[in-house]
Amino acid sequence: PVALYRLKAGLDGSGNPTGWTTRIAMPSLLATLLRLPLKDGIDPPAVEGFDHFPYEIPNLRMEYAQRDTHVPVGFMRAVGWSQNPFARECFLDELAHAAGKDPYEYRRALLAHEPKPRGVLEAAAKAAAWGKPLPKGVFRGIAVTEPYGAFTAAVIEISMKNDKEFVIHRIVQAIDCGYVVNPDNVIAQTQGASVYGLTAILWGEITIKDGRVEQSHFLDYPMLRMVDMPKIEVVLAPSGGFWGGVGEPGLAPLAPALCNAIFAATGKRIRSLPLKNHGLSLVKA
């Protein structure tokens, strides 16, 4: 769905957040598609990732306003977790940068009392050798999310071929879904979510003209192809004690991790998707 976010935060002298405000305006899936009443006017998918905020920040304010357009909306893989982490985790990266702190260490400190997201964040960072020097011209971004009873974190490494073309060298995804019965299935689902997510991040957009959808096929709505696929490393980090999802969680941290990597490489913040609208394109190494 089309969505607009306004985020504000205050930092103390040590760079730690003292307050955070989120304002979200977007259509309601539950009210418009399923015709369900909204409790207190809040659409649960629209505030996923903000309603149960994991970071330890003393003053929080979260607001949602239902703003429906003439274009009906449907479910996308990961639903609210497909777009909300882009706003939350990119903004948190901005706070880390403003504080002059490492994005991983900044998150880790704010998750001191949240062992599940902290654990999966640490697992992804360890697998990606976060903190060790990267090859010249290679940059990375990181994000952590808590979608659908599971916990996922991603580290994405990129390099810029020029101002508009970038290479994804690898994606490291860690997932804690509680128990793992079939490891191959969890890995495959996480890899599949990465393919789906990258497609949306790079090109995913439906435009309307004269009351009709303009896109009709893969020529004008491209999908990520095998030749475009980056290396994906999935780290299973089950902590036990619960059953979490695996079908959608792998999508959630991708957009912020990639856009945070683009910032690390270029110094420019991406605040809207898809990336094609910024003139950015994925190329092979």
Side-chain angles (χ1 to χ4, degrees):
V2 60
L4 179 66
Y5 305 83
R6 299 292 189 200
L7 300 108
K8 294 182 179 181
L11 306 180
D12 63 19
S14 298
N16 299 314
T18 57
W20 175 305
T21 297
T22 299
R23 305 185 74 184
I24 304 172
M26 74 170 72
S28 167
L29 272 171
L30 299 189
T32 60
L33 184 65
L34 302 182
R35 307 298 182 186
L36 297 176
L38 300 182
K39 183 179 179 181
D40 299 323
I42 303 297
D43 180 71
V47 297
E48 287 174 326
F50 289 104
D51 54 346
H52 296 97
F53 204 67
Y55 297 109
E56 190 173 0
I57 299 175
N59 301 291
L60 293 173
R61 183 177 178 86
M62 308 296 174
E63 302 177 3
Y64 165 74
Q66 181 181 344
R67 293 294 182 265
D68 297 318
T69 71
H70 63 288
V71 180
V73 292
F75 286 97
M76 180 176 175
R77 187 173 184 176
V79 200
W81 284 102
S82 61
Q83 72 267 357
N84 289 354
F86 170 63
R88 190 188 87 180
E89 291 293 304
C90 285
F91 185 59
L92 195 73
D93 230 61
E94 294 196 36
L95 300 188
H97 181 72
K101 296 184 179 181
D102 176 83
Y104 161 64
E105 295 293 350
Y106 196 71
R107 286 174 171 80
R108 187 171 176 270
L110 292 174
L111 294 171
H113 299 292
E114 292 285 347
K116 300 296 186 184
R118 178 173 170 141
V120 79
L121 176 71
E122 291 172 342
K126 180 180 179 181
W130 190 280
K132 293 185 178 180
L134 289 165
K136 184 178 180 180
V138 178
F139 302 86
R140 57 193 164 201
I142 193 168
V144 62
T145 52
E146 321 80 52
Y148 305 117
F151 303 87
T152 49
V155 175
I156 299 183
E157 297 177 0
I158 73 164
S159 63
M160 302 297 298
K161 278 208 165 183
N162 50 56
D163 289 344
K164 296 298 182 181
E165 295 178 324
F166 64 92
V167 175
I168 298 179
H169 294 278
R170 67 170 177 162
I171 297 173
V172 178
Q173 276 240 54
I175 179 168
D176 177 5
C177 52
Y179 295 111
V180 173
V181 175
N182 186 335
D184 286 345
N185 184 54
V186 178
I187 292 170
Q189 288 283 355
T190 305
Q191 291 170 332
S194 297
V195 177
Y196 185 92
L198 285 175
T199 292
I201 295 160
L202 292 163
W203 308 297
E205 183 178 50
I206 295 294
T207 54
I208 309 294
K209 184 177 181 180
D210 298 329
R212 293 179 179 270
V213 172
E214 293 188 286
Q215 291 73 27
S216 62
H217 211 281
F218 294 129
L219 290 176
D220 48 21
Y221 193 88
M223 307 292 288
L224 197 72
R225 300 171 297 172
M226 285 191 289
V227 70
D228 300 316
M229 275 301 301
K231 181 180 180 181
I232 301 174
E233 302 172 25
V234 180
V235 180
L236 303 183
S239 59
F242 66 98
W243 295 94
V246 297
E248 298 178 290
L251 187 148
L254 286 176
L258 177 56
C259 291
N260 289 337
I262 291 172
F263 169 76
T266 66
K268 297 178 181 179
R269 289 289 179 189
I270 303 296
R271 294 195 176 96
S272 64
L273 294 173
L275 293 178
K276 70 179 181 70
N277 291 345
H278 299 273
L280 291 167
S281 59
L282 175 68
V283 296
K284 295 298 290 183

